[in-house]
Amino acid sequence: MSSATPDQSAPELDTVLVVDFGAQYAQLIARRVREARVYSEIVPSTMPVAEMLAKNPKAIILSGGPSSVYEDGAPRLDRAIFEAGVPVFGMCYGFQLMAITLGGTVDNSGAREYGRTELHVSKSGSTLFEGTPAEQAVWMSHGDACSAAPEGFTVTASTDVVPVAAFENDEKKLYGVQYHPEVLHSTHGQQILEHFLYRGAGIAPNWTTVNVVDEQVALIREQVGSKRAICGLSGGVDSAVAAALVQRAIGSQLTCVYVDHGLMRKGETEQVEKDFVAATGIQLKVVDAQERFLTALAGVSDPEEKRKIIGREFIRVFEQAQAEIVAEAGEHGEEVEFLVQGTLYPDVVESGGGTGTANIKSHHNVGGLPEDLQFKLIEPLRKLFKDEVRMVGQELGLPEEIVQRQPFPGPGLGIRIVGEVTKERLDLLREADAIAREELTLAGLDREIWQCPVVLLADVRSVGVQGDGRTYGHPIVLRPVSSEDAMTADWSRLPYEALAKISTRITNEVKDVNRVVLDITSKPPGTIEWE
């Protein structure tokens, strides 16, 4: 996929609104719509319908939710949304709300269905179900059930328990299903969703990373003008792609700051200094603050205290660097007014949304910068999920090593050492981590896991036998996990051969390590990181 010329204005995109009724899957619905190459946004169910319609959506999807339509205070929706001529698709609670609002019948009869359920399609040639099997597995999660569709609707599917599990009104372009088509357990769910988007709503699948790049380049140029911007570059995917996108728009008006706190993995600082700069031509200011961070962390074992120290020191170093950039720019009459952040769409949704430019707040992902830093934000990734950010990075020509980099915590290896952080322990962990990453790559497992934290239990020692002698070394923990968004995660079932190679190499090549263990805890109850 190749990008259009940078100064080309991006066309206005068709937008699908996902109305969130408190569903655990609202973000997943938005992702599935985007996987169909249609742009989507999540809005709260409390948003007035007039405001929703003012966004000029091409379609609206009503999510599921934990409430019963009969509960006091349960979310409601103005009937006007169904009379505006905009195609609407209700799922689960949204389906029941559509039914009861338009005169159908929803019974609170105890007809419960949870988990995998067999769906019986009665109208196989319908808008939603054409080309799908008459019997298909779907994922249910409901207590109430629809027993009669509103007038003008055709019932197109049922289950053994629920007489109306799907209905359709092609004339008014209103559709609904009782189940969750967005989850993988609904075997033809994505196909049903795409049928609504393409056939029911008549939307063309034309949202691509080219759209994102072109749109953001135009917006950033308009926003920044002749001013300057800075970006805190961590080496992670989000900040790297955000920086590359802004650099595409304003070139030398952007300066990136990389703080080397000595807590990075092996080779990552060099990767940022060489590969990233070579790929983008970006202006990079590298601050070597390793001694400063090690001094501040000396004697500290409490994980929360370590996080606070690392965050505090990062702020101070970044402030100093940005002050130097501002001073240098001021000599040439160029004002540094903007700060680039790699905020993603889940961050926006989970913090309650919000639009426009804002001053830095302590909760932003730069690491808790003080509120008195009066930069305006540039957040070119705030509409994107993590996988979409990676695609934009590829579009911008960033190296695969950066684009496909696994998530890595801001405090770095400082929170992957259980115990005090010292240079010796960091060097030990860096070597073990490098071996694990290398073997996972050689085994072709990088894309199969979300990430694999490697943890040093620095305050724990165990007896071992190495070179015919007794040893008393540290254990290393491998924590491979699979996830879509890191909100929940399961431990990855890696091949024994790969685990064996990692264990053998670490115990052979890394001094003072005589044991490698595997963490097989899901999240919840465990977290992905140990500290």
Side-chain angles (χ1 to χ4, degrees):
M1 186 184 300
S2 60
S3 176
T5 53
D7 57 353
Q8 203 172 357
S9 17
E12 184 177 342
L13 296 173
D14 293 338
T15 299
V16 173
L17 295 185
V18 177
V19 182
D20 183 7
F21 289 97
Q24 58 177 319
Y25 295 130
Q27 285 193 33
L28 184 55
I29 296 171
R31 286 174 58 90
R32 297 294 185 239
V33 173
R34 294 181 183 201
E35 286 170 12
R37 295 180 61 200
V38 175
Y39 178 66
S40 63
E41 289 183 7
I42 301 172
V43 297
S45 62
T46 53
M47 176 181 284
V49 168
E51 286 187 29
M52 294 182 194
L53 298 177
K55 291 177 172 286
N56 193 30
K58 296 299 181 182
I60 295 172
I61 295 176
L62 310 179
S63 83
S67 302
S68 162
V69 291
Y70 291 105
E71 286 179 14
D72 290 337
R76 291 287 184 263
L77 202 58
D78 191 328
R79 184 187 178 98
I81 200 168
F82 304 113
E83 299 170 343
V86 178
V88 180
F89 186 25
M91 301 177 178
C92 197
Y93 182 83
F95 165 76
Q96 294 178 1
L97 198 56
M98 180 188 293
I100 202 168
T101 302
L102 295 177
T105 304
V106 176
D107 298 321
N108 187 221
S109 60
R112 301 175 184 276
E113 289 178 313
Y114 296 101
R116 189 183 187 278
T117 305
E118 196 71 17
L119 184 76
H120 314 303
V121 178
S122 53
K123 298 288 183 181
S124 57
S126 75
T127 297
L128 292 182
F129 292 103
E130 183 173 356
T132 67
E135 305 290 324
Q136 50 189 277
V138 299
W139 193 257
M140 290 283 193
S141 181
H142 67 91
D144 301 337
C146 182
S147 59
E151 185 178 349
F153 283 75
T154 300
V155 177
T156 52
S158 62
T159 71
D160 291 340
V161 174
V162 176
V164 183
F167 54 46
E168 306 179 33
N169 185 327
D170 286 319
E171 182 183 352
K172 294 186 177 180
K173 298 188 180 301
L174 302 178
Y175 306 87
V177 296
Q178 175 60 75
Y179 60 93
H180 289 278
E182 70 275 21
V183 303
L184 295 177
H185 303 290
S186 294
T187 52
H188 295 274
Q190 185 67 14
Q191 192 174 353
I192 303 304
L193 177 59
E194 290 178 2
H195 281 174
F196 165 70
L197 296 170
Y198 306 155
R199 294 156 55 85
I203 301 173
N206 57 13
W207 189 66
T208 67
T209 53
V210 175
N211 300 136
V212 175
V213 172
D214 291 346
E215 176 192 46
Q216 287 302 316
V217 164
L219 289 173
I220 292 164
R221 284 178 177 168
E222 181 181 356
Q223 182 183 8
V224 176
S226 61
K227 303 291 178 57
R228 292 186 59 82
I230 61 173
C231 175
L233 194 66
S234 68
V237 179
D238 303 340
S239 66
V241 174
L245 191 49
V246 174
Q247 196 270 344
R248 170 76 66 91
I250 62 173
S252 61
Q253 292 167 246
L254 173 69
T255 302
C256 287
V257 177
Y258 175 79
V259 177
D260 183 1
H261 49 30
L263 307 173
M264 301 299 286
R265 297 186 291 191
K266 187 176 182 179
E268 286 183 326
T269 296
E270 293 77 10
Q271 185 182 78
V272 171
E273 289 187 273
K274 296 176 183 176
D275 296 349
F276 183 73
V277 173
T280 61
I282 214 156
Q283 294 186 72
L284 180 65
K285 183 182 183 69
V286 179
V287 182
D288 185 349
Q290 296 183 57
E291 286 301 321
R292 175 175 185 151
F293 278 81
L294 280 174
T295 300
L297 289 167
V300 178
S301 296
D302 179 73
E304 208 43 45
E305 190 178 351
K306 283 194 285 188
R307 284 180 179 273
K308 289 178 180 177
I309 289 171
I310 294 167
R312 182 194 69 213
E313 293 303 316
F314 179 87
I315 292 168
R316 298 284 83 86
V317 174
F318 189 84
E319 284 178 329
Q320 181 180 336
Q322 61 87 13
E324 292 171 2
I325 293 170
V326 170
E328 292 166 7
E331 294 175 4
H332 302 92
E334 299 169 322
E335 185 179 353
V336 180
E337 189 171 312
F338 298 93
L339 180 68
V340 179
Q341 285 198 150
T343 308
L344 304 191
Y345 193 48
D347 303 326
V348 176
V349 174
E350 290 166 9
S351 63
T355 57
T357 300
N359 288 338
I360 294 293
K361 301 296 181 183
S362 59
H363 62 272
H364 280 299
N365 61 8
V366 169
L369 290 172
E371 295 184 14
D372 59 355
L373 284 180
Q374 298 298 306
F375 288 108
K376 295 175 182 175
L377 291 183
I378 299 174
E379 298 175 307
L381 310 179
R382 64 184 287 114
K383 292 182 178 181
L384 306 181
F385 291 98
K386 175 74 79 172
D387 54 334
E388 295 166 337
V389 171
R390 295 189 197 279
M391 288 188 285
V392 170
Q394 291 171 332
E395 180 69 27
L396 292 167
L398 290 180
E400 281 289 296
E401 293 79 11
I402 290 178
V403 173
Q404 297 302 332
R405 184 178 187 262
Q406 293 177 1
F408 189 61
L413 298 179
I415 59 166
R416 290 186 178 174
I417 295 175
V418 180
E420 182 186 2
V421 178
T422 66
K423 184 180 185 305
E424 293 71 28
R425 290 175 173 181
L426 284 166
D427 290 342
L428 184 158
L429 181 54
R430 258 190 281 271
E431 291 303 317
D433 176 87
I435 290 170
R437 286 189 290 145
E438 181 181 340
E439 290 298 333
L440 290 173
T441 300
L442 289 173
L445 297 170
D446 285 342
R447 304 288 183 90
E448 293 187 22
I449 60 175
W450 174 263
Q451 64 184 123
C452 183
V454 177
V455 180
L456 171 64
L457 302 184
D459 288 345
V460 176
R461 287 183 178 270
S462 64
V463 175
V465 179
Q466 292 170 300
D468 295 326
R470 178 183 184 277
T471 61
Y472 197 50
H474 298 290
I476 285 286
V477 180
L478 304 179
R479 175 67 166 136
V481 295
S482 301
S483 178
E484 277 201 350
D485 53 14
M487 298 299 291
T488 61
D490 193 13
W491 65 279
S492 301
R493 275 67 168 173
L494 299 183
Y496 291 149
E497 293 80 6
L499 291 171
K501 284 184 180 180
I502 293 171
S503 176
T504 299
R505 283 196 58 193
I506 289 177
T507 52
N508 283 351
E509 300 174 29
V510 182
K511 185 183 177 183
D512 291 332
V513 174
N514 63 2
R515 193 179 298 270
V516 175
V517 299
L518 179 65
D519 183 344
I520 59 170
T521 313
S522 63
K523 175 188 178 182
T527 54
I528 292 177
E529 299 290 345
W530 272 49
E531 292 205 337

